[in-house]
Each structure stands twice: as C-alpha cells, then as structure tokens.
Amino acid sequence: LSLVLPNFGKYLSSNNPLLNCTTSYMRTGQSSARPLCLSHCGLSSRNISTTTDYPEFKDLEEIKTHDNLYKFSINKPEVFWSRLARSRLTWSKDFTHVMKGDFLQGKMEWFTGGTLNASVNCIDRHLKTHGDKVALIWERDEPGTHSVYTYRKLSEMVGKIGNLLLKSGVKPGDRVAIYLPKSPTAVATMLACARIGAIHSVVFAGFSADALAGRINDAQAETVVTANQAVRGGKLIELKKMVDSAVTRCPCVKRVLVYNRTEAKVPMGKLDIDMTKATLGESTDCPVVQRASEDTLFMLYTSGSTGSPKGITHSTAGYLLYSNVTFKHVFDYRDGEKFGCVADIGWITGHSYVLYGPLSNGGTTLLFESTPVYPNAGRYWEMVERLKLDHIYLAPTSLRLLLKSGDEFVKKYDRSSLRKLGCVGEPLNHEAWEWYYNVVGERRCDIIDTWWQTETGGVCISPRPSELGAEIIPGMPMRAMPGIKLGLYDSEGKEVKGETGEGALCICQPWPGMARTIYNDHDRFLKTYLKPVPGVYYTGDGAHRHKGGYYQITGRMDDVLNVSGHRLGTAEIEDALDDHPDVAESAVVGFPHDIKGEGIYAYVVLKDGRTLTKKELEKQLKALIKSKIGGLALPEIILFTPSLPRTRSGKIMRRILRKVASNKFDELGDTTTLSEPEVVDFIVKKHKELT
Ligand code: WTA
C-alpha cells in the first residue's frame, strides 16, 4: 500500500465549527427526532415510477423503489448505465462496450465504439418538437432586466460561432480558452466548440490575467474567446484588457474573439476578431463533428493541494450522460420547469447544471450574471417572483450572507413558484439550512444539499431522489446517487465498515461522469485520486456516516481551501506571496469564517534589510495576489512573523498555524519538540493583537 493520506484528520471529528450544530444535534441522539418527513409535499417526493422516472427499467420486476434501483445500479452497472445511455442520449453510432478498465489500472472507458455530439444532444434533437421553447433565460446584471432565447435562437448562435471558429482554423481536439461573462454567448461558444469537436476550457472571469495566462499555456490554447467588458454588481470589469495582458505571455495564442457585452470600444490588435461583426455573415448551419465517446468534451482547471491548478478533463459520452441523468433525478426536473442555477459557467456547477444537464434534457435554464446582493439582498427572490423559477440552486455562502440581512428581503416577494431548493460547494450549516427551509421555502420545498466535485462531473450524494416521505436531515447530503458506491477509509487505507463511522470519503466503483485525467499529467491524476487508497477513487474529503448510512461531509483533508464555495490551493497563494522580493517564505491556512465558510490566513516571514513599512507591504502583497490569482484569493489576515513553527526536521507545522488562526489556543498540543518553540508564543500574541 502506498498510502499518502494527507493531513488525515484535519477536519475529522467535526472540527469544522460550521458543522458542530448539526453534529451535536445528531450526537445527542436526536437525529431521528427531527428529520423532516416530507410526505406532505405530495408530488415532490414519490416512489420511483418506472413509467415516468425510469422507463428504461419498466420490464424489471425487481425495481419498484429507489432502494431497489440503487442496488441494481451497483450490482449491474453495465445494464444500468447502458440502458440509460441508449435512451437518454442520441448517438450517431451505437457503442460496443459499456465499460472498460478499473481504478487499479487507472484508465476507465465508457461506451467505447460509440460516437455522438454534445451540441446535437443539447440542441438539435429538441428543435423538431420544441424549437420555440425557451432554452435560456438571461438575467442580466442590470436589475429587473432579462431576455429569453429559444432553442432555435440558441441553435443559430451556436451555428454562427461554430462556423466562425472553423473559418478561423480551429480543428477537432484543439483547446479553446473561454473567458466570458455568464451570457448566452458564453453558452453558445461552449456548445459551438462541442459541435466542431474542439475542447473548451472555461476560465472564470474573476481570475486575473496571470491566472488566465497560466491556464492558456498549460492547455496550449490557440484560441481565446472573451468580451470587451464584463458587468457585475453594477461594476465594469475590463476583461479584454486582462486578455491583452495575458496573451503577451502566451505565444501559443493565434486569435482572440471579442464579444461586445457593453457599448464600450476597446483597442483591437492584430490577433483580435470582433465576434459580433464576424458572426453576422456566418451561416447558422454548422456541420457536426461526431466524437468518439471517450474524446474530451472539455477541460476545467481546479486547485489541488500542491502545484499549479490542474486541467481536469471530461469525456464526451460519460460526462454528458451523468450530467443528464443527475440533473433530472436529483432535482426531479419536469418538463416545462425553469431551473435556476446561479453558479458561474467558470465552475463545474455551471457546466453541469446550467448547461449540459438542463439543455440535454430539453429544459429551460437560467443565466444569472449578477450577485446575490445587487442592488440589495432581495435580488434572488425578486428574480424568482419575476421569472417564476421552479428551482433555485446556489451556494451555502450566499445563504449565510443573505440570512444576515433579515427575512424582509425574502418575504416581500412571492416565492410560490419554487419547488426545490438546492445547494452545493461546501457544507450547508444548520442555521442556513433552517433559514432556507423555513423562510425561503416556507416549509414547502425539499432542501437538496448536493455533494460532488469538479472531478466527479455531477452530483454523487444528495437527499433526493429517495422514497416517498423519506426523511431529509439538515446538514448533510445523505444518500449516494444510483451508480455511486461510497466507502470510508481509515489512515491505513482500510475500509471503515459498519453502519456508522468516520474516514476519508472514497468512491469504490467507476461511474461514467468521472474525470478521465489531468490534462498532460496522467501521473498526477493517478497520484491524487487513485493511488492514495488503491482500488478506489479518493475524493480528498472527510466524511461521517450516520445511522441509516447517511453521509455528512466534514471538509477537505488536504491543503485545499474552500472559500465561499471556491476551491483554492494554499500552495498557489503561497507562491504568489513568495514572489514579493521582501518575502522570505509564507504559509497559508484556512480558518472558520461566518459567511465564507473558510477565510484565508497568511503567515509571512520577511527578509532582512527591507525598507517598506508593514502597512505598505500588506498592500503590495494583496495587490500581488490579486494580480497572480484574483480577488477571490485575498487573505483576510496577514500576520508577519520572524519565523514559522517547524519540526526539528524542518517541516512547517501547519496544524499549529491552523489552530492559532481558529483561536484554538488550548489545542496547540506539545510545542516543546519544535525547533523554535518560542515562535508559537509570538504568533499567538500577534494574532490576538490583529483580531
Ligand atoms: C466541497 C463543486 C460539503 C468538497 C461542485 C468538495 C461540499 C469540493 C459539498 C469540490 C457539500 C462540494 N457539502 N462540501 N454539499 N459540495 N463540497 O470541485 O470539499 O469546486 O471536495 O466542485 O467542494 O469543489 P469543486
């Protein structure tokens, strides 16, 4: 066993204070005292129907309940997934094999021999029957403004952009970096890439020029698609300027397509193509490039515990099927409903539940360009009333922020259209859960706390789907999705058996939606996900299994931070800080934060002989992080210290740094074995002064 379980126990035993409330409530033996039995919700929770929910299994007597279906999916994955693949997706050529490979080999293949195209699945196949149905509702940043795009209109946009990409020289397998605000153009560009067989790599428009350049170079993208400006919370963001600065460091870039989100004129250079003008003369009819099932549909960068962000790559067929099936069943999405996932398309949530899941189901999906507090804390709920959204899917951090603004912002709007309330990205703490359920949902709607990752492609754990009236317990995503076999492992890599337990959360059987590799670095893929516990997929999260087999996530076990639901590696932030000429070294840790879930705390050691004041330095360090990564990585606290606590062998004691940052001074443990124990006293004293 080559066990590299990092920082095992960082968050185990419910060290995460956001979870304590739920955990203690669970631990006082009341877990069954207040589960919410939602049988009164009528239609919103029902027994499985193989006629309406899963017609693929109508002939199978043994499947009558979700529990039956789950067991079937685990015992007969090939039958389960192949039936769904053939009925839910449209293929240009049927597949010959359902699944090949396993976690030990580190190479998984699904539906080989088959060919299909994701844009055909998301658009063309809906045109005949419902071309005039609304595909996208674009809720612009400007409050109260929205516009709708039918499937036909979207198809025309995709055709024109696809033709422009083809004409510009983009070929199947080429990477296209997309740095766009959430807009119909962004969705159409992603689908245009899929149509012509190019691989999209969307970079969140909040990342800096440096971060963008790193991602463009890693992917060797020849094409960048951006906008003149972005608008967010009433502020203008100079996207094109950022791209100009990034591209000077990216010799691979041959063209930059520029969409005009605003009226502002921006300087255009020799690589730049005005997308609005250039698409005018293009045909709406773009030829389809059929892709093999395992061809990469897209890549998306995400943070790991070490090194630079990794380009997670997803397959065409497996990913599309998994986002399609999970979208329909997790949210119980029904024809005609409006689904409101407010995540940006720069994150996996935007890929799976703004674009691929909803559109491959022929649904209506929201593109929310603004922020939850612009112009005020009522933005989401005013939008729900105006657009009559049936579903909203958001991040716990926004709930924590909004609940502080009081109930009036919610209550003044009619939310009766809402049927399901989803969330993702971080643990949904008890207070936020109750507020979501009682105030936002008026105790009518299921709360669907979904656990998943960029790497899993779609939701793996969620309270729904489940049986009629089945309980939903606050503070945990609870149930494994069909096809997802979960397991907990201890620090020695042994499975934690029994109904209840605690350990590293792993997925024990391949599923179609899982990432296939890290772009250009398959070894890193194996090392990160498949080698820590041989034979299973290692998620990097810790979890608690409660009575009933329900899962509660306790948080990351590695040095990945989760700030407002955004993944950030401590190493990336340290690299940015260390770039300052006055910084000798730094250590970044997370600490519990009321709204963000986790805040960033940086310990910085300065070189001798510097001339700047600490105040000036702090300003420069923040500016450096902003330019290297983006505003989302700014530390809450920077503590300057003459040195860092280390073991005698020289390893930085992050555990101690985390405890100090979390005010847990009585949990520092034995510090006498450190090489300079007195540094801990210094840090504690300084921390108390700063906070
Ligand atoms: C965390 C987001 C608790 C987790 C889709 C995971 C959660 C990381 C939940 C992935 C949840 C996501 N409860 N923690 N419901 N959902 N996480 O790749 O630590 O941006 O590993 O994907 O977010 O973040 P990513």
Side-chain angles (χ1 to χ4, degrees):
L1 284 187
S2 58
L3 285 178
V4 262
L5 300 186
N7 285 335
F8 195 89
K10 175 182 162 193
Y11 283 113
L12 292 186
S13 305
S14 305
N15 269 345
N16 186 339
L18 285 178
L19 296 173
N20 279 349
C21 187
T22 304
T23 312
S24 55
Y25 147 111
M26 299 285 308
R27 281 191 176 156
T28 50
Q30 295 174 24
S31 59
S32 54
R34 284 178 58 208
L36 296 159
C37 288
L38 297 176
S39 44
H40 61 279
C41 288
L43 283 175
S44 71
S45 46
R46 53 186 173 173
N47 269 359
I48 187 171
S49 155
T50 46
T51 325
T52 52
D53 296 334
Y54 290 97
E56 297 81 3
F57 307 108
K58 294 217 259 268
D59 59 320
L60 298 178
E61 285 284 300
E62 71 249 53
I63 301 180
K64 292 206 170 52
T65 63
H66 284 283
D67 192 40
N68 300 155
L69 183 82
Y70 177 75
K71 288 193 177 118
F72 181 82
S73 74
I74 298 300
N75 296 333
K76 298 194 175 152
E78 301 216 4
V79 184
F80 180 74
W81 289 116
S82 64
R83 285 192 181 197
L84 287 172
R86 289 199 172 99
S87 95
R88 310 260 170 137
L89 299 182
T90 300
W91 299 80
S92 43
K93 187 164 150 242
D94 192 14
F95 49 89
T96 48
H97 286 84
V98 184
M99 178 173 84
K100 282 188 195 165
D102 59 37
F103 289 143
L104 283 173
Q105 290 174 39
K107 188 167 193 291
M108 278 73 55
E109 292 181 341
W110 286 85
F111 315 119
T112 46
T115 62
L116 74 173
N117 182 284
S119 87
V120 169
N121 276 276
C122 288
I123 305 178
D124 302 38
R125 64 175 175 159
H126 310 311
L127 290 179
K128 255 192 228 142
T129 47
H130 48 271
D132 294 324
K133 184 175 173 183
V134 174
L136 313 177
I137 306 174
W138 184 22
E139 171 77 2
R140 285 198 217 90
D141 189 60
E142 297 85 350
T145 62
H146 68 264
S147 38
V148 297
Y149 291 67
T150 62
Y151 272 91
R152 199 173 321 283
K153 172 79 186 150
L154 178 61
S155 159
E156 290 169 6
M157 291 173 71
V158 171
K160 280 171 173 276
I161 298 172
N163 281 323
L164 176 63
L165 291 172
L166 279 178
K167 199 160 107 188
S168 316
V170 180
K171 291 177 288 307
D174 285 358
R175 280 77 52 215
V176 174
I178 299 179
Y179 189 64
L180 281 170
K182 206 173 171 191
S183 56
T185 300
V187 170
T189 306
M190 291 162 78
L191 288 170
C193 289
R195 191 166 194 87
I196 65 166
I199 297 170
H200 59 71
S201 165
V202 183
V203 179
F204 173 54
F207 280 120
S208 68
D210 274 19
L212 172 65
R215 285 156 174 80
I216 293 175
N217 282 330
D218 185 74
Q220 285 293 293
E222 290 181 358
T223 312
V224 182
V225 186
T226 190
N228 59 342
Q229 294 180 314
V231 199
R232 205 150 181 270
K235 294 196 191 96
L236 292 172
I237 304 156
E238 300 295 336
L239 278 197
K240 172 67 167 45
K241 241 190 214 158
M242 308 260 248
V243 172
D244 288 345
S245 145
V247 165
T248 55
R249 281 159 281 162
C250 302
C252 53
V253 173
K254 292 192 177 149
R255 60 198 77 90
V256 178
L257 274 55
V258 186
Y259 147 72
N260 290 309
R261 166 62 180 87
T262 64
E263 302 288 311
K265 290 261 172 292
V266 292
M268 297 288 277
K270 62 177 188 307
L271 297 180
D272 303 337
I273 301 170
D274 179 333
M275 203 168 159
T276 320
K277 267 198 204 136
T279 45
L280 278 181
E282 293 297 342
S283 156
T284 54
D285 226 347
C286 174
V288 173
V289 175
Q290 297 300 344
R291 303 291 277 158
S293 296
E294 280 297 312
D295 282 347
T296 299
L297 176 61
F298 67 85
M299 49 197 282
L300 186 60
Y301 284 86
T302 191
S303 297
S305 46
T306 54
S308 48
K310 42 197 178 186
I312 298 294
T313 75
H314 277 287
S315 69
T316 301
Y319 169 82
L320 195 61
L321 178 66
Y322 199 67
S323 57
N324 173 287
V325 171
T326 49
F327 172 72
K328 178 153 169 55
H329 298 294
V330 168
F331 305 104
D332 183 28
Y333 181 81
R334 303 192 199 147
D335 198 27
E337 287 190 328
K338 299 184 198 96
F339 191 77
C341 168
V342 293
D344 192 88
I345 42 138
W347 311 115
I348 190 70
T349 309
H351 284 58
S352 302
Y353 301 113
V354 172
L355 201 166
Y356 289 108
L359 297 184
S360 68
N361 275 285
T364 299
T365 186
L366 175 84
L367 303 176
F368 179 70
E369 194 184 25
S370 195
T371 81
V373 289
Y374 180 69
N376 57 46
R379 178 67 188 253
Y380 282 165
W381 324 118
E382 184 276 327
M383 173 175 77
V384 165
E385 176 182 278
R386 179 165 34 86
L387 302 177
K388 303 223 169 345
L389 297 181
D390 300 87
H391 302 253
I392 190 154
Y393 189 36
L394 44 70
T397 187
S398 54
L399 288 176
R400 291 193 295 268
L401 178 73
L402 296 178
L403 73 79
K404 288 203 179 341
S405 308
D407 300 355
E408 317 76 67
F409 279 113
V410 186
K411 290 188 169 154
K412 98 184 194 214
Y413 301 107
D414 175 15
R415 285 112 47 229
S416 57
S417 61
L418 286 174
R419 204 163 61 76
K420 301 272 175 183
L421 306 176
C423 73
V424 60
E426 35 168 346
L428 178 62
N429 54 306
H430 202 85
E431 189 190 8
W433 195 103
E434 296 279 355
W435 191 75
Y436 207 16
Y437 182 70
N438 292 320
V439 180
V440 175
E442 302 166 305
R443 305 181 67 81
R444 271 185 307 107
C445 311
D446 286 353
I447 302 295
I448 308 190
D449 175 357
T450 63
W451 177 92
W452 58 295
Q453 308 176 297
T454 306
E455 297 86 339
T456 67
V459 173
C460 293
I461 318 180
S462 78
R464 294 279 183 252
S466 52
E467 312 305 341
L468 179 72
E471 62 189 359
I472 291 187
I473 299 174
M476 58 173 90
M478 301 179 73
R479 302 179 172 92
M481 287 296 295
I484 299 295
K485 187 177 173 199
L486 299 174
L488 296 178
Y489 286 79
D490 67 17
S491 55
E492 271 148 31
K494 285 210 195 74
E495 187 169 2
V496 178
K497 303 258 184 186
E499 189 185 12
T500 62
E502 199 171 5
L505 179 69
C506 296
I507 305 180
C508 312
Q509 197 164 289
W511 70 106
M514 76 172 294
R516 298 296 191 263
T517 190
I518 292 173
Y519 188 76
N520 254 342
D521 201 350
H522 195 61
D523 276 353
R524 188 174 178 197
F525 180 79
L526 299 177
K527 202 169 141 217
T528 314
Y529 307 110
L530 301 181
K531 288 207 173 133
V533 184
V536 301
Y537 165 83
Y538 179 79
T539 68
D541 280 2
H544 210 112
R545 188 168 53 229
H546 292 280
K547 205 161 153 276
Y550 300 145
Y551 285 83
Q552 179 184 25
I553 311 298
T554 44
R556 298 287 309 185
M557 299 197 309
D558 53 16
D559 288 322
V560 171
L561 305 181
N562 192 333
V563 182
S564 301
H566 299 152
R567 258 168 88 164
L568 289 166
T570 51
E572 287 166 68
I573 308 172
E574 288 163 8
D575 279 351
L577 291 167
D578 296 349
D579 266 1
H580 193 285
D582 287 350
V583 171
E585 64 171 342
S586 63
V588 168
V589 297
F591 70 98
H593 188 286
D594 272 2
I595 290 174
K596 297 180 174 182
E598 213 166 11
I600 302 173
Y601 199 119
Y603 294 88
V604 175
V605 180
L606 296 172
K607 287 180 187 157
D608 293 337
R610 59 188 168 78
T611 50
L612 291 173
T613 64
K614 296 232 166 101
K615 212 163 168 200
E616 279 165 339
L617 257 171
E618 185 164 334
K619 224 168 119 196
Q620 288 190 4
L621 290 176
K622 287 192 171 164
L624 195 61
I625 291 176
K626 212 166 164 194
S627 87
K628 294 256 162 206
I629 308 173
L632 70 175
L634 283 181
E636 229 75 32
I637 296 176
I638 298 183
L639 186 150
F640 295 105
T641 168
S643 61
L644 294 169
R646 289 181 189 279
T647 58
R648 285 188 203 277
S649 61
K651 198 170 172 311
I652 296 175
M653 291 292 285
R654 287 172 181 277
R655 188 183 56 78
I656 292 181
L657 296 177
R658 268 189 223 113
K659 294 285 182 200
V660 174
S662 317
N663 293 321
K664 290 187 180 152
F665 311 115
D666 48 354
E667 292 178 24
L668 297 179
D670 181 12
T671 55
T672 52
T673 55
L674 297 178
S675 61
E676 290 174 82
E678 59 288 354
V679 71
V680 178
D681 299 333
F682 176 88
I683 285 175
V684 169
K685 188 166 155 265
K686 259 278 163 298
H687 168 84
K688 286 183 177 162
E689 281 167 29
L690 286 174
T691 53

